[in-house]
Amino acid sequence: MPQVPDGNANDPRATAIAFSEANVPAGLASHPGSRSERADALEEHLIRRLDDMWIAKSILYASGDVDPATVPSKTPPAGARALMGEDPRLSKMPEAPTLVDFFKHRLMSKAHLLQSAKLALDSGHDEKIVLACLLHDIAVCGLIRADHGYWGEQLIAPYVDDEISWAVRTHQALRFFPDESVGYEYPDSYVRWFGEDYAPEPYIQEEYRQARKHRWYMTARLVTLNDLYAFDPAMEVSIDVFVDIIGRHFKQPREGLGFDGSPSAHMWRTMISPTRFL
């Protein structure tokens, strides 16, 4: 197996370039450009193998690994067409995709969502809370991590009761604040991940203060409670358990998610075709 050249282990871009160099095909080994240019050439070589279809990546894919202000916009190489549909490397979505289809084909780490909803179901909570638990991290699992509660709210708002979408947004803030009345403690994992001196941003603190006064506070709080303990690698839960609850509380559009003209349809389409050129 090729050895990845030594480099700065804390530099993801350098690591990616080193890996590309270690796995470069023989025909590209003598590429005259810089290390970065050779990595780009390898990427294009692999892409061109997909029937001459050039697959673009939005800047969010690499932002942080590279400074987006310094990255030039790329266009398809000569002889290739830009992808303007679904990525052939991803599993095919139905023409009118349902929420269940997104769970099956586009969400990562969905076991956490399924476990969270199952905990709420087994605890006898209202079906709205069960659905909120099933959807609370849908943005993390299918779209983006940063401000995932807000993204998640916008994704599902046209299709669920306001109480459910509000709870999905607000759980993002409530996670950082304990509530002894339901046995929710500040997660030990947050101390490890963020440090003992971490303090939530002012907008998160304000969101928490407003949520404490809201009539749906406990709905969002129960989402955090069932979120905290839903990370059991040995626990398997099928989406089929929740099909009836989804049917009762999620307004599935006849045209399919992404094609119904709702304010969030474009977000669902992005998850369907995340590498489409435009």
Side-chain angles (χ1 to χ4, degrees):
M1 177 180 294
Q3 297 296 313
V4 176
D6 293 335
N8 182 354
N10 296 319
D11 183 346
R13 175 63 174 167
T15 301
I17 293 173
F19 181 82
S20 297
E21 285 192 327
N23 292 277
V24 67
L28 294 178
S30 59
H31 191 283
S34 66
R35 297 180 70 197
S36 180
E37 290 170 337
R38 289 197 297 273
D40 290 339
L42 173 62
E43 182 178 22
E44 289 190 3
H45 167 81
L46 296 175
I47 288 171
R48 291 294 297 278
R49 291 172 59 184
L50 295 173
D51 298 324
D52 290 327
M53 184 67 69
W54 187 75
I55 300 175
K57 292 182 178 179
S58 298
I59 191 61
L60 277 177
Y61 275 86
S63 187
D65 292 344
V66 297
D67 181 352
T70 66
V71 178
S73 178
K74 289 188 176 182
T75 56
R81 293 176 294 117
L83 178 69
M84 287 297 287
E86 290 190 44
D87 194 321
R89 300 170 298 180
L90 301 178
S91 58
K92 181 71 175 176
M93 291 285 278
E95 290 186 5
T98 66
L99 179 63
V100 172
D101 290 324
F102 277 88
F103 266 83
K104 290 180 177 179
H105 297 286
R106 287 296 183 272
L107 301 187
M108 70 171 190
S109 304
K110 53 195 169 189
H112 169 60
L113 298 180
L114 296 167
Q115 287 183 27
S116 177
K118 187 65 163 57
L119 287 174
L121 183 66
D122 291 346
S123 297
H125 293 308
D126 184 90
E127 288 187 351
K128 288 184 179 180
I129 293 174
V130 174
L131 186 59
C133 290
L134 185 67
L135 299 174
H136 74 280
D137 277 354
I138 191 169
V140 169
C141 297
L143 191 63
I144 193 170
R145 282 186 172 275
D147 272 336
H148 71 283
Y150 298 88
W151 286 99
E153 177 191 39
Q154 291 181 321
L155 264 172
I156 67 174
Y159 314 107
V160 300
D161 287 352
D162 292 346
E163 181 178 359
I164 296 174
S165 57
W166 183 88
V168 167
R169 185 192 85 219
T170 310
H171 94 276
Q172 177 179 331
L174 297 191
R175 297 171 306 152
F176 297 103
F177 301 92
D179 186 337
E180 295 180 358
S181 72
V182 296
Y184 181 81
E185 301 177 351
Y186 186 81
D188 291 337
S189 59
Y190 287 7
V191 177
R192 297 194 304 271
W193 295 344
F194 311 133
E196 295 183 358
D197 58 346
Y198 173 76
E201 293 88 338
Y203 77 94
I204 292 292
Q205 298 184 37
E206 180 59 26
E207 183 87 69
Y208 169 70
R209 285 190 289 268
Q210 295 299 323
R212 286 305 305 252
K213 299 179 288 185
H214 201 282
R215 69 186 186 278
W216 294 331
Y217 166 74
M218 192 50 66
T219 303
R221 174 52 75 190
L222 289 174
V223 171
T224 67
L225 185 64
N226 289 285
D227 180 10
L228 186 60
Y229 302 105
F231 295 94
D232 184 353
M235 182 179 181
E236 295 186 7
V237 182
S238 170
I239 186 64
D240 295 340
V241 174
F242 308 104
V243 167
D244 290 342
I245 291 176
I246 292 171
R248 286 189 287 271
H249 299 283
F250 191 92
K251 304 178 184 70
Q252 174 66 42
R254 176 178 54 82
E255 305 90 337
L257 290 168
F259 306 103
D260 57 319
S262 80
S264 64
H266 63 287
M267 300 167 72
W268 296 95
R269 289 197 303 270
T270 297
M271 289 194 290
I272 294 172
S273 303
T275 53
R276 200 173 71 178
F277 187 63
L278 293 175

